[in-house]
Amino acid sequence: MLSKKQAKIFFLGGTVLFFLIFVAMSFHSLTVGIPQNTNADQLSDQVKQGKLLWDKNNCMGCHTIMGEGAYYAPELTRVYSRKGADYIRTVLNAPEGWGPRGRMMVKYEFSEEEVDAIIAFFEWMDNAHLNGFPPEPSLEK
Amino acid sequence: MKFTSQKIAYHFFALSMLLLVLQIVYGFIMGFAHMGFDGLHEWIPFNAATATHKNLLVVWILSGFMGAAYYIIPDESDNELFSVPLAKLQFWSLAVVGVIAVAGFHVGWWEGRKFLEIPRPLDWLVALNVILFLVIILMTLLKGKKQTTTAWVLTMGLVFAALLYLPGMIYFDNLSVDSFMRWWVVHLWVEGVWELIMGGILSYLLIKLTGVDREVIEKWLYVIVGLTFLSGILGTGHHYYYTGGPDYWLMVGGIFSALEPLAFLGMTIFAVQMYRKGNKRHPNKLAIYWTLSTAIVSFLGAGLLGLAHTLPGVNLYTHGTLITAMHGHLAFWGAYASLVLAIIAYSMPLMTGRKLHDNRTGHLAFWMSNIGMVGMTMAFAAAGVAQVYLERIAGYDFMVAAKETQAHFFVLIIAATVFTIGVLMFISNFVKFGKPVDEALQPEAEFEAIQG
Ligand code: HEM
Ligand code: HEM
Ligand SMILES: [Fe+2]
């Protein structure tokens, strides 16, 4: 039968081993994989500002992006190609807050520059390689 | 209770209960909003409610863990707590930081990073608070007469949890990198180091409640936490499938996260076996119920419902839908919420000397909260499956699918009401215990004392 000492070695050994593998893989992901998949060279100041606005307004508190966030409002990973820049501009500038189908979005007072930054951020997101997410609907309508 | 300083745990448990109630209030706000009743939108928009709901959850669980540590570590190391005034300071600063954070969410002082919405300046105060907590715990342990495996596993879990908070405090311009590091905190917490805390607390409870030999229990504790890290660390990959990570995570994350339920199954078998081997003479029936339910429901919520959407082929469709919310609720409830309720149910009679450990209110609280939560999980599941089919498979707009799922949120509200009544009954028992008293001091180990 397994002794307590052996069990302890299993725990400590396994933890150290798998943690090291994980750190090495994370290092590779952060320095090579993600920059490639997300076109890190296209992260302009405007995109960065858009990301900051996304963050500061907690847009993720209603929407998902890359499938992460809350489930109260639409997925926005591919919103740039799905709806286009003009539509997004209309949403962000809606004077009484956006909500054509009853569910209200928070009313924002973004400047033109800020709206452009958010659109640039979505355009950057749109080009990221995400292993096929979001999936193409498989059912013919 | 062996040492008067253990009484400090009560403060943390009381804070836990208060924040739990608040968390539930915000859950209702969101449930109604999903149903189409967003009357509070002007004052508490959904993103404020969700940040509050999730952070109150994290804080009340952490407060429960801290209380548990303040109760368990002196007992396990056979030593008074290092410093009660410092522990009180730590408690009040925790409460103050918590209040500021929650108030901030209502005026837009936050960062849009799910579960880590607390803004960075406040993060530093959180870090300071946790360091103070760890110093008190470590000093108590190191100065103690003995250092048990249970105490070390619990303490290590707490130390690692604190360290893992740090990667979440760095800002990144690239959303994908930001998300990558966010999972170092969130995933490595709930599917890693928090399981150490869970294992430590469960092991303490089982030693006390079943009377089975410590050596046997602690041996299995090592095996379980070994399995946790073996699967859970690389299992982080299940969050890297579709968020910009390299494609090898599909394989690595898929395989290792599919092994994660083993650790939870381990906890179930561990607790049930120890209970069966034990002498079943402990009078605190409610603590036994909560201990066993933690071990069982965590397997259902985290293990089975996690497995249900962890393979890349499934996750492509369920990723970021109400299916995730289904799993999130039962997993958090079974593993961590129930665990905190278990240690409260165990320690309150010993701290206050009042024997409310087998009463009707307590049993009703147990059944109603668990049944209510299972009902909520089923409502989320139904809504989630509908959403996946309509939105991801048939290609309807998000809002079209959302309208179709409103009825499921009505069911959610009904189940949540049952759940809430259960929780309120638990709290009414908690209040009836009153405050801890020095007269409850028992120099002998509680278990033997009760055996007699
Ligand atoms: C009356 C009780 C509750 C109700 C009505 C409720 C309702 C909700 C709703 C509507 C959401 C938001 C889903 C979205 O993003 O659109 C949510 C999120 C969440 N709630 Fe609750 N909740 C309740 C209690 C709890 C409890 C007790 C826990 C933990 C034990 C919990 C844990 C969570 C978690 C982890 C999330 C985030 C899930 C995710 O984004 O995947 N909730 N809740
Ligand atoms: C007690 C342990 C666990 C807790 C508290 C927990 C909780 C959660 C929560 C709250 C989320 C939503 C996170 C977010 O979107 O920000 C989540 C996501 C997820 N969990 Fe767990 N979980 C646990 C264990 C597990 C296990 C053991 C598995 C696998 C077998 C698993 C598989 C997943 C997957 C695949 C996702 C991502 C869902 C998506 O793509 O949207 N979880 N979990
Ligand atoms: Fe995870």
Side-chain angles (χ1 to χ4, degrees):
Chain A
M1 255 315 258
L2 185 78
S3 71
K4 186 171 171 185
K5 190 146 181 237
Q6 287 166 326
K8 185 174 175 178
I9 293 171
F10 166 71
F11 164 59
L12 291 175
T15 303
V16 171
L17 176 68
F18 283 99
F19 187 69
L20 290 178
I21 298 176
F22 179 66
V23 168
M25 288 178 71
S26 292
F27 183 74
H28 175 267
S29 296
L30 289 167
T31 53
V32 184
I34 295 181
Q36 240 165 40
N37 284 341
T38 61
N39 308 306
D41 51 329
Q42 290 169 25
L43 276 172
S44 63
D45 285 345
Q46 205 183 20
V47 174
K48 288 178 188 167
Q49 191 197 348
K51 151 77 169 54
L52 188 65
L53 287 166
W54 172 264
D55 199 43
K56 259 172 66 179
N57 291 289
N58 191 15
C59 308
M60 196 194 209
C62 292
H63 294 277
T64 50
I65 196 162
M66 302 192 300
E68 296 185 344
Y71 318 124
Y72 189 63
E75 224 301 317
L76 297 178
T77 312
R78 299 288 184 240
V79 67
Y80 185 81
S81 52
R82 204 171 65 234
K83 300 285 189 184
D86 290 342
Y87 184 95
I88 300 171
R89 195 175 296 278
T90 313
V91 171
L92 293 176
N93 285 333
E96 297 303 318
W98 185 250
R101 270 180 283 203
R103 192 172 282 185
M104 294 304 295
M105 178 161 145
V106 175
K107 185 176 81 187
Y108 293 105
E109 276 149 18
F110 292 122
S111 67
E112 271 311 290
E113 184 207 339
E114 288 175 328
V115 172
D116 289 338
I118 294 173
I119 294 174
F121 168 68
F122 284 141
E123 187 183 2
W124 167 81
M125 185 81 262
D126 201 56
N127 291 321
H129 171 75
L130 302 177
N131 289 328
F133 184 84
E136 279 301 316
S138 46
L139 199 73
E140 290 291 331
K141 259 192 277 182
Chain B
M1 186 170 67
K2 257 196 291 196
F3 299 99
T4 48
S5 52
Q6 286 174 287
K7 287 188 312 186
I8 188 75
Y10 172 82
H11 286 72
F12 289 85
F13 294 155
L15 180 66
S16 265
M17 295 297 95
L18 181 71
L19 300 184
L20 166 59
V21 173
L22 274 178
Q23 188 214 345
I24 291 176
V25 171
Y26 285 83
F28 274 108
I29 295 177
M30 288 191 289
F32 278 114
H34 266 286
M35 237 175 97
F37 302 106
D38 64 346
L40 289 173
H41 175 77
E42 288 287 323
W43 303 276
I44 310 176
F46 194 88
N47 57 349
T50 211
T52 310
H53 187 65
K54 286 165 194 161
N55 283 271
L56 282 173
L57 167 66
V58 173
V59 177
W60 84 255
I61 302 259
L62 286 178
S63 174
F65 287 169
M66 287 173 175
Y70 281 137
Y71 186 83
I72 294 174
I73 299 295
D75 183 5
E76 285 286 294
S77 57
D78 210 359
N79 187 16
E80 288 281 358
L81 200 64
F82 172 62
S83 160
V84 174
L86 278 182
K88 281 205 174 126
L89 175 71
Q90 191 254 322
F91 170 77
W92 286 108
S93 57
L94 177 75
V96 168
V97 172
V99 169
I100 298 178
V102 167
F105 293 155
H106 293 74
V107 293
W109 197 43
W110 54 21
E111 278 155 14
R113 308 167 75 232
K114 192 173 180 185
F115 287 106
L116 305 179
E117 284 94 344
I118 297 185
R120 284 179 184 78
L122 214 51
D123 276 343
W124 288 104
L125 290 186
V126 175
L128 217 62
N129 182 273
V130 171
I131 290 172
L132 178 58
F133 164 72
L134 290 176
V135 167
I136 301 169
I137 291 297
L138 280 168
M139 289 305 284
T140 311
L141 186 59
L142 293 174
K143 287 181 132 184
K145 295 196 194 72
K146 44 185 192 172
Q147 280 141 17
T148 64
T149 300
T150 299
W152 269 115
V153 169
L154 173 58
T155 308
M156 281 300 112
L158 295 163
V159 170
F160 288 140
L163 287 176
L164 281 170
Y165 194 67
L166 303 177
M169 288 171 59
I170 314 167
Y171 184 83
F172 298 98
D173 288 322
N174 187 330
L175 183 71
S176 178
V177 174
D178 199 303
S179 151
F180 193 94
M181 294 316 293
R182 192 169 63 82
W183 292 116
W184 271 54
V185 190
V186 180
H187 172 97
L188 288 179
W189 266 2
V190 300
E191 290 156 74
V193 296
W194 283 23
E195 282 180 63
L196 241 65
I197 300 173
M198 178 179 174
I201 297 178
L202 272 186
S203 145
Y204 175 81
L205 286 169
L206 289 170
I207 290 168
K208 297 289 175 178
L209 291 167
T210 68
V212 173
D213 181 35
R214 173 185 288 276
E215 289 300 303
V216 178
I217 291 189
E218 290 182 342
K219 175 174 86 181
W220 291 111
L221 175 62
Y222 273 133
V223 174
I224 289 167
V225 292
L227 282 175
T228 297
F229 283 143
L230 191 133
S231 59
I233 297 179
L234 290 178
T236 317
H238 65 188
H239 302 289
Y240 299 158
Y241 299 156
Y242 307 119
T243 53
D247 55 8
Y248 52 68
W249 288 114
L250 293 171
M251 176 82 126
V252 175
I255 293 173
F256 284 91
S257 70
L259 294 174
E260 284 179 37
L262 282 180
F264 287 97
L265 183 63
M267 302 244 194
T268 316
I269 298 175
F270 172 61
V272 173
Q273 281 301 335
M274 294 308 143
Y275 173 69
R276 291 174 56 179
K277 272 174 84 160
N279 56 23
K280 307 193 182 60
R281 293 223 306 268
H282 201 286
N284 193 339
K285 293 285 177 282
L286 288 171
I288 294 176
Y289 271 57
W290 283 109
T291 303
L292 291 178
S293 82
T294 303
I296 295 167
V297 182
S298 62
F299 173 63
L300 300 179
L304 281 186
L305 293 185
L307 190 62
H309 63 157
T310 203
L311 295 176
V314 179
N315 192 257
L316 178 63
Y317 289 91
T318 60
H319 179 46
T321 64
L322 292 162
I323 293 291
T324 311
M326 154 200 88
H327 154 72
H329 278 86
L330 200 64
F332 257 111
W333 170 252
Y336 302 121
S338 304
L339 179 68
V340 170
L341 301 186
I343 185 74
I344 292 178
Y346 172 75
S347 61
M348 284 303 282
L350 299 168
M351 285 195 287
T352 61
R354 299 192 64 181
K355 298 194 170 54
L356 293 170
H357 45 41
D358 196 15
N359 66 350
R360 210 176 122 81
T361 319
H363 282 279
L364 267 174
F366 175 83
W367 288 110
M368 288 185 75
S369 56
N370 274 294
I371 291 171
M373 183 49 84
V374 170
M376 287 167 58
T377 306
M378 281 160 51
F380 273 123
V385 170
Q387 184 191 3
V388 168
Y389 271 91
L390 289 170
E391 195 189 332
R392 299 279 165 88
I393 295 180
Y396 287 102
D397 257 9
F398 175 90
M399 275 310 298
V400 173
K403 293 262 167 188
E404 292 303 318
T405 55
Q406 283 181 348
H408 301 301
F409 282 91
F410 177 66
V411 179
L412 178 82
I413 299 277
I414 304 282
T417 307
V418 176
F419 170 78
T420 307
I421 296 173
V423 168
L424 291 178
M425 289 174 102
F426 186 94
I427 294 175
S428 100
N429 245 5
F430 181 83
V431 172
K432 267 189 260 160
F433 274 113
K435 292 216 172 132
V437 288
D438 285 343
E439 292 76 67
L441 208 63
Q442 277 180 326
E444 292 302 308
E446 297 90 26
F447 186 68
E448 284 83 1
I450 283 160
Q451 292 271 292

